Amino acid sequence: MKHEPNRELFRKPTDARELLNVSRSRRYLLVSPCRDEAQYLRRTLDSVALQSVPPALWIIVDDGSTDETPAILEEYSKRLPYVRVIRRDDRGGRKVGPGVIEAFYAGIEQVQLEDFDYLCKLDMDLDLPVRYFEILMERMENNPRIGTTSGKPWFVHPRSGALVPEVCGDEMSVGMTKFYRIACFKEIGGFVRQVMWDGIDCHRARMLGWIAESVDLEPIRFVHLRPQGASQKGIWTGRLRAGFGQYFMGTSPLYYLAVAGYRLTAHPALIGSVAMLWGYIRSWLKGLPRYDDPEFRQFLRSYQHACLRMGKRAATARVNAERARLWHESHPTLGQDENAAKSKERAELMGLKFDTVTIEAAVAHCLELCQAPPSSNTVITANSSHLCMMRRDPELASACRAGDLILADGMSVVWALRASGQPVPERVAGVDLMARLLAAAGEHRLRVYFLGAKREVVSALVERCRTQHPGIEIAGFRDGYFGPGDHPRIIDEIRASKAHMLFVGMPTPFKETWVERHRERLQVPVIVGVGGSFDVLAGFIKRAPHWVQMAGMEWFWRLMMEPRKLWKRYLTLNSEFSWVAGLEVLARRLGRPPVEQSQK
């Protein structure tokens, strides 16, 4: 079926000033190399014309097309005021990699990048959703460290006809819509003029402390009309080229073998992975040249090996945290905006706003705080008991709301937030967070102080930490049995220890209120109240099996372990939470303000 453009999209502006009606903070430049794209061109042009925030300028570089592409571009350039077409001589065939980037730079040469805030290298075989660029810019405005971002590509499966996602990692902006902050694009030196330009750029950005990402959000999923790796000579050729690209970039052989194994079932099954590996091995056997930057190659392989050890998501979070200092040193003003932006991504239940982050992101944020200029920051892991106690204890409520990172500890809290239409990615239990932070402290040789529990428990915990995490530095520890007269001495001792992290293993509400009262004097970058986690990690209390935790029944497990201590608390507080949270969920579903909010 022939594609017909929507004529209403192409009305000419009545005033020349309308051409410039784009906010300075959202002036984005599109640059699109294309050659013989008549098959897909109209769909891409129409989808950009529909954007909720139009581009300030769209340079389309016709790289010697021999089909109907020039005629289509001429038609649209007369109707879309921001389109400028650059024509190049026929270079003898479609060439990806260096050829595409040469055409891209032919477009860049026509402008001053300083006139724009964002730059996107956009392919002409895409169908973009209406708010695509608007949402990408919102993400970058909310987090100044995001240097390059994109949505996720989907394609029509050649056999089933179903729309399916392409295989692409969350840690890279995808090559067909490279959306860049101009500052980041300049700092990485732009694109390398070779295959794998769209991998080297993201790794270089991460090496400098920027965040590179692609995000699987439904409003920014787009259709890739030509499947990934399907070159003009077929998918086999495309996968061979991908193998050469990884060799050129400097990818670790072990890592690429793991990648090929992971993609065995991806379209085309088996043959795609075989072609990828052969492209890499053949390039190595021929001794082909590689990207000549030893520092970059060392960074890349260290990152890839970390991905094999701990998973790509955790490795990326760790690298982002480790490299944060580099970025903050280069962008001191933007760094202040980054901290302010993080408070926006929160979900609320019973008067407490939770950060919607994974445990990996929470650990990464804590590591960033440890490397930032000295200040005291509290991490609150709140469960249903906290929320109920806050209703009667104003000081506890104030201390919890003052947390710099507030996490949902308890499946009942997670389920209530999700039921109210405020999805959180996962539960972040205090004991799990503490275990991860201790492991990270061992890796980064950070100083840790333990305060709380019985003397034999905290002593056993310290010994276990020294055994399990050899790099950890114990800044100090003491039990949780002390009176008001001891407070000044304990605070001075903790402050003098120069600890990066303080774990407070005492009951609620004492630990939250005590920490908040003395936070500024403590001067510890990361302060985490972890309740009974000392007993669990020291081996004095057995943790509930994973399936019990995921079923939301860990409270029942703990009740069976300590019935005398916990029966009354769980009976009363769990019942209260079910009633109050249930009412709030219902109110949110009906579009009404929750009772807790209306009383503030």
Side-chain angles (χ1 to χ4, degrees), residues 175-341:
M176 59 289 282
T177 69
K178 285 281 183 187
F179 196 80
Y180 258 96
R181 198 184 298 272
I182 292 293
C184 179
F185 186 77
K186 286 186 172 184
E187 287 179 26
I188 68 170
F191 296 139
V192 175
R193 306 188 190 208
Q194 183 52 276
V195 173
M196 212 55 205
W197 59 270
D198 55 343
I200 292 172
D201 68 320
C202 288
H203 288 302
R204 285 199 68 86
R206 196 159 23 250
M207 188 171 76
L208 296 176
W210 290 97
I211 292 173
E213 63 170 24
S214 59
V215 189
D216 189 22
L217 297 175
E218 188 170 352
I220 53 174
R221 290 175 180 171
F222 61 90
V223 180
H224 191 192
L225 305 172
R226 179 188 293 114
Q228 184 181 34
S231 75
Q232 78 281 11
K233 296 182 181 179
I235 288 181
W236 173 264
T237 301
R239 295 295 194 268
L240 284 176
R241 186 177 61 241
F244 161 70
Q246 293 288 341
Y247 164 83
F248 172 79
M249 183 170 67
T251 289
S252 158
L254 180 63
Y255 178 79
Y256 202 50
L257 180 64
V259 169
Y262 176 76
R263 295 192 176 186
L264 274 174
T265 59
H267 175 75
L270 183 61
I271 192 171
S273 290
V274 171
M276 289 163 56
L277 285 176
W278 177 236
Y280 185 98
I281 295 170
R282 184 177 65 174
S283 302
W284 175 72
L285 291 173
K286 289 182 176 181
L288 297 180
R290 296 185 119 159
Y291 181 52
D292 188 18
D293 187 335
E295 182 184 0
F296 171 82
R297 193 178 307 170
Q298 181 181 6
F299 167 80
L300 173 67
R301 294 196 172 190
S302 174
Y303 167 69
Q304 290 175 336
H305 292 159
C307 289
L308 293 178
R309 291 194 310 271
M310 58 198 303
K312 187 175 288 186
R313 179 180 293 180
T316 303
R318 190 184 78 171
V319 170
N320 285 343
E322 290 174 345
R323 297 274 163 169
R325 182 180 291 274
L326 292 175
W327 186 89
H328 280 279
E329 289 174 352
S330 302
H331 311 88
T333 304
L334 289 177
Q336 297 172 5
D337 297 337
E338 182 196 20
N339 293 330

Side-chain angles (χ1 to χ4, degrees), residues 538-549:
F540 283 73
I541 294 180
K542 185 178 180 181
R543 181 88 187 275
H546 183 68
W547 69 268
V548 174
Q549 299 174 39

Side-chain angles (χ1 to χ4, degrees), residues 554-583:
E554 189 168 13
W555 67 271
F556 185 74
W557 175 275
R558 290 189 61 195
L559 178 60
M560 294 299 98
M561 300 292 289
E562 301 178 277
R564 291 187 176 181
K565 177 181 177 182
L566 299 174
W567 76 268
K568 186 175 181 180
R569 167 184 157 190
Y570 282 152
L571 178 64
T572 57
L573 295 183
N574 282 11
S575 300
E576 180 184 353
F577 175 81
S578 298
W579 174 254
V580 177
L583 290 177

Side-chain angles (χ1 to χ4, degrees), residues 85-136:
V85 178
I86 306 297
R87 307 197 188 282
R88 301 183 78 205
D89 294 334
D90 184 358
R91 54 186 168 91
R94 175 183 168 84
K95 296 179 182 178
V96 298
V100 169
I101 299 305
E102 290 291 344
F104 170 82
Y105 274 107
I108 290 291
E109 291 169 0
Q110 307 298 313
V111 298
Q112 294 290 328
L113 288 181
E114 294 78 8
D115 294 338
F116 304 91
D117 302 287
Y118 305 99
L119 164 69
C120 180
K121 181 265 180 192
L122 182 71
D123 286 0
M124 300 299 286
D125 55 359
L126 310 175
D127 195 347
L128 303 171
V130 158
R131 297 186 62 223
Y132 185 76
F133 292 112
E134 178 189 358
I135 293 174
L136 293 186

Side-chain angles (χ1 to χ4, degrees), residues 478-497:
R478 68 151 295 148
D479 62 66
Y481 295 86
F482 51 84
D486 299 314
H487 292 181
R489 179 173 53 82
I490 293 172
I491 293 167
D492 291 341
E493 181 181 320
I494 294 172
R495 181 180 181 128
S497 74

